[in-house]
Each structure stands twice: as structure tokens, then as C-alpha cells.
Amino acid sequence: MDNFKVSVIVPVYNSCEYIGSTLDSIINQDFSSFELIVIDDGSTDNSLEIIREKLSKSTISYEIIHQENAGVSCARNVGIEKATGEYLVFVDSDDYITGNHLSELYNGETDFSLIQFIKKDGDKLSTPDHYSKRLMSCDEFITKELKMEIYFNFWQLMYKTSIIKDNNIRFNPDVIYGEDTEFALKALIYGKEIAVSNEVTYYYIQHSDSAIKTSEYRRFEVVEIFEKMAEFYKSLGKEDLANLIITSRIPKAIFGNMNFFFYNGYDFDEVLAKMKELDLLTKLSKFEGDSKFK
């Protein structure tokens, strides 16, 4: 059996319009020691046919898993179980990566590594972040995230597989918003260092026509996720990080989601009523730090 350095995990659900380009970007990597695990999560379009045709013509090592629809978290968890690589990388089925994505991430030494991404919405491109450090302790990285001094997505990271599997870290299938951040922050706490590259190798595709009104106020569920994360950090003796969640990350998450609803035309009184029902105004008031924001 091949000893792969990296396992690339791609969950797919009704992505026929994009999955071909996504797979092409993975197939054409300048890094050879990787396996691709594609999990078709019960697609009802022709995504599975495209996947089979595309990969059957490639020379890379791959596995296609077809399952009944269970959600993206379950699909990613199946990918983790199947992975045999030394490191894990996640790519969403409507995004794409540059040819040096894996080679830029892989160093074989640090527990984690991170690249930069660009958000693409039609012809609009976001400005990527730039880090002054090439190496950062995982505690420092988590601290900056909880203070929201940095912004990152879980798929920017390469994860050491043993950290994920030995500590039984998985995506929470019961959560719609924040399950990916929870996964990354749980994983990072078990690591020592994260290598940082300012190279842009991931393109995150946004779709303007998918203005999010379908899940209503479930965005606020991220608060409960972070409260559980605070308890998790406490159980590991990370009281400082647990406190940062309560006094920084949760208030800023509430404030950000509140503004999201206002920006997308939700009724002002309805939003505030929901916040009062969830006791979010009390939690918002626990913010400590920048006096202007407070």
C-alpha cells in the first residue's frame, strides 16, 4: 500500500456545475504523494457521473464513496475515516486550488500549515491576508482568532492526521454554522506550531444568488458552539483561551451575525426579540477590550 503524505477530502452534494473544475485543480497538482477521497453525499444531479468520468481518466490515486444524503459534516467525517495520508487537506466541491496548493502546504515537520485564499464572487476578488510570521505557535494562532485579529477558514489548513484521529476530532453533524471553525480550533489546541505561507493557493467561490435566508436565525447557534468550546478548553487547563471565548469571540460573533441580519433586510424588532430570547444581549455585554467596540 502506498504511503501517502497527504489525503485530500472533497465532500460533494449536487455540484455538477463546479465539481469538474474542482477535480481538475486537484488532479493537476505539482505534488505527487497524495490520495483523493471524494464523498458523494447523495447527489440528485449528475455530480457522481462527472466524478467517475473525470477521475477514471486521471493517473492519481483516488477513492469515490457514495452514500445517502447525511450532510457535509458526515461526508467529511467519512473522508477522515478513510484517509491514510500523513496529513489531511479539505477542498469544497465548488472551490478550486492552484497547482502548488499541496506543495506549498506540506513541509512534513509542523503539525499544521496554512496558506492564503481569495474569495471570488463573479468578477469580484477579495484581498488576501498577509502574515508577518512564517511560524507561529498554535496557542498564539488560536488567541489571535479568538480576538478576531485574524480571519481564517478551516480549509486553509493542512492537519496532521494523527492529531485528528488520536484525539477523535470530527465535524459536528448537528450544526449548520460554525462546525468547521469548531473542528479547526479543537484540532489546533493539540498542536505545537503552524507554518504560515502568504501564498494564495485556494479560491473560495461565493454565489451571489444564494442570499442566506433559508436557515433564519440558526446563525446564532455558533454562540452555543463557542460556549461548549470554552468548556472544552477549560477541561484541558486552557483557562485563558476559555475566557477569551466568553469575553471576545462570542460577543463579536453575536455582533457580526446581528449586523448580517440587518444587512440582509431582516426586521429589526424581530432580530432583537430573537436575541433577547436567546439571552444574547447579556452575552454581548461580556465583551472586554477595545473601548470603541464596547
Side-chain angles (χ1 to χ4, degrees):
M1 187 174 72
D2 291 310
N3 294 315
F4 296 107
K5 292 177 180 175
V6 179
S7 297
V8 180
I9 297 171
V10 181
V12 180
Y13 177 72
N14 288 353
S15 297
C16 64
E17 189 177 346
Y18 311 102
I19 188 59
S21 297
T22 302
L23 293 178
D24 280 339
S25 73
I26 297 170
I27 291 168
N28 294 317
Q29 290 294 296
D30 62 9
F31 184 91
S32 60
S33 182
F34 75 94
E35 62 175 350
L36 171 61
I37 303 170
V38 181
I39 307 94
D40 178 66
D41 188 40
S43 293
T44 56
D45 62 6
N46 65 329
S47 291
L48 186 57
E49 288 79 6
I50 295 171
I51 294 164
R52 285 172 173 162
E53 181 181 2
K54 182 74 67 174
L55 293 180
S56 66
K57 295 176 180 177
S58 75
T59 58
I60 66 171
S61 297
Y62 68 87
E63 181 174 1
I64 301 170
I65 300 163
H66 176 69
Q67 63 181 31
E68 290 187 11
N69 180 248
V72 67
S73 290
C74 286
R76 288 178 183 140
N77 289 341
V78 168
I80 291 171
E81 296 297 332
K82 293 286 185 179
T84 63
E86 180 188 355
Y87 288 86
L88 301 176
V89 165
F90 298 91
V91 179
D92 281 350
S93 61
D94 53 355
D95 298 338
Y96 64 90
I97 55 178
T98 60
N100 63 334
H101 182 66
L102 298 182
S103 59
E104 191 66 28
L105 279 167
Y106 182 83
N107 59 51
E109 297 176 1
T110 56
D111 293 326
F112 301 90
S113 52
L114 175 136
I115 48 76
Q116 307 311 318
F117 76 99
I118 282 179
K119 188 185 299 182
K120 191 172 186 292
D121 187 349
D123 294 330
K124 297 177 184 176
L125 299 176
S126 66
T127 302
D129 290 332
H130 184 89
Y131 289 73
S132 58
K133 291 185 175 181
R134 301 291 288 183
L135 195 65
M136 199 181 299
S137 74
C138 289
D139 270 13
E140 181 184 1
F141 187 85
I142 293 171
T143 298
K144 287 183 177 294
E145 199 286 335
L146 296 181
K147 291 180 177 179
M148 294 191 78
E149 295 174 354
I150 59 172
Y151 172 75
F152 85 102
N153 285 279
F154 85 102
W155 32 248
Q156 285 178 260
L157 289 168
M158 177 177 276
Y159 305 76
K160 196 165 192 176
T161 306
S162 59
I163 286 179
I164 303 303
K165 292 194 174 186
D166 292 352
N167 296 292
N168 196 31
I169 299 167
R170 298 294 186 272
F171 292 89
N172 188 340
D174 299 322
V175 174
I176 291 180
Y177 293 103
E179 83 290 346
D180 45 8
T181 302
E182 177 189 34
F183 176 86
L185 290 178
K186 276 191 172 182
L188 284 162
I189 201 67
Y190 290 106
K192 292 181 180 178
E193 289 182 319
I194 174 171
V196 178
S197 168
N198 286 315
E199 187 85 9
V200 174
T201 64
Y202 195 105
Y203 282 77
Y204 167 54
I205 311 302
Q206 276 205 312
H207 309 291
S208 299
D209 58 350
S210 61
I212 306 168
K213 278 208 172 187
T214 53
S215 296
E216 292 296 325
Y217 295 111
R218 294 199 68 178
R219 291 180 71 97
F220 282 136
E221 289 180 0
V222 73
V223 174
E224 185 178 352
I225 289 175
F226 277 117
E227 287 174 336
K228 290 179 179 177
M229 181 67 71
E231 291 303 315
F232 174 71
Y233 280 171
K234 276 185 184 177
S235 71
L236 297 177
K238 299 285 186 179
E239 295 280 347
D240 54 338
L241 295 178
N243 185 59
L244 263 181
I245 291 176
I246 302 301
T247 62
S248 177
R249 193 61 172 87
I250 287 176
K252 287 186 176 181
I254 295 169
F255 190 75
N257 281 310
M258 178 183 73
N259 282 326
F260 170 88
F261 291 125
F262 294 154
Y263 181 81
N264 283 285
Y266 284 71
D267 180 76
F268 182 88
D269 292 332
E270 190 178 280
V271 173
L272 286 188
K274 187 65 178 179
M275 291 177 68
K276 289 176 181 176
E277 175 191 331
L278 298 173
D279 197 28
L280 298 185
L281 296 175
T282 301
K283 294 169 183 177
L284 182 61
S285 71
K286 293 185 182 297
F287 178 76
E288 295 175 4
D290 176 74
S291 59
K292 185 176 180 180
F293 182 84
K294 188 173 179 66

